[in-house]
Every structure is written in C-alpha cells, then in structure tokens.
C-alpha cells in the first residue's frame, strides 16, 4: 500500500507546482484547513478538504492525518 500511495502523491505533485517552495512542516496547516472544510459538511467543503489533504500529502506523504482526511473527503 505505501508504494501505491507514493505513486498517487507523485501524480498530485504535478497538480500543485506551487508547493515546491513550501516546507514539509506546512503540511500541518493544510491538514488543519482540510479538517475545517470537512466540518462544514457541504459538497464544496468536501472538495476543498480533498485538495488540502492532497497538498498535505504532497508535502509529507507519511502524514496519517492527511491520508485519513483525504479518505473521508
């Protein structure tokens, strides 16, 4: 499973080139924003949450909270 996750994350990197300058420590901020979007419990909120969790995983692919949030979104 980890290899499959890494393959997906590599594809997401192409979607978020702006993250190249962000440090992996910024993943936490993306996770927090994703969780806020999930809490809204709206269709748009889930899509926005999904994007935030993807960004977090691009920055830190071992982030379990980001992976769990992405699955929920």
């Amino acid at each position: 499973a980890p290899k499959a996750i890494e393959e997906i994350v590599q594809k997401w990197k192409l979607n978020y080139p702006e993250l190249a300058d962000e440090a992996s420590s910024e993943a936490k901020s993306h996770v927090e924003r994703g969780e806020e979007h999930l809490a809204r419990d709206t269709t748009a909120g889930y899509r926005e949450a999904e994007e935030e969790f993807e960004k977090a995983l691009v920055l830190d692919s071992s982030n379990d909270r980001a992976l769990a949030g992405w699955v929920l979104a």
Side-chain angles (χ1 to χ4, degrees), residues 1-9:
K3 184 179 178 189
I5 293 169
E6 285 298 327
E7 290 174 6
I8 292 169
V9 169

Side-chain angles (χ1 to χ4, degrees), residues 33-53:
R33 284 194 293 271
E35 290 172 343
E36 289 172 9
H37 291 302
L38 276 180
R40 290 185 1 218
D41 196 26
T42 64
T43 303
Y46 285 112
R47 179 64 195 137
E48 291 166 359
E50 181 180 10
E51 289 178 7
E52 289 296 338
F53 293 127

Side-chain angles (χ1 to χ4, degrees), residues 6-73:
E6 285 298 327
E7 290 174 6
I8 292 169
V9 169
Q10 291 303 316
K11 290 178 185 177
W12 289 341
K13 284 183 181 182
L14 300 174
N15 294 335
Y16 304 109
E18 71 275 10
L19 296 178
D21 297 331
E22 284 193 36
S24 62
S25 60
E26 290 297 313
K28 181 180 178 187
S29 297
H30 289 288
V31 169
E32 290 170 352
R33 284 194 293 271
E35 290 172 343
E36 289 172 9
H37 291 302
L38 276 180
R40 290 185 1 218
D41 196 26
T42 64
T43 303
Y46 285 112
R47 179 64 195 137
E48 291 166 359
E50 181 180 10
E51 289 178 7
E52 289 296 338
F53 293 127
E54 287 176 5
K55 290 176 182 180
L57 287 165
V58 165
L59 294 172
D60 178 9
S61 63
S62 66
N63 189 310
D64 291 337
R65 266 177 71 193
L67 183 58
W70 181 81
V71 170
L72 286 172

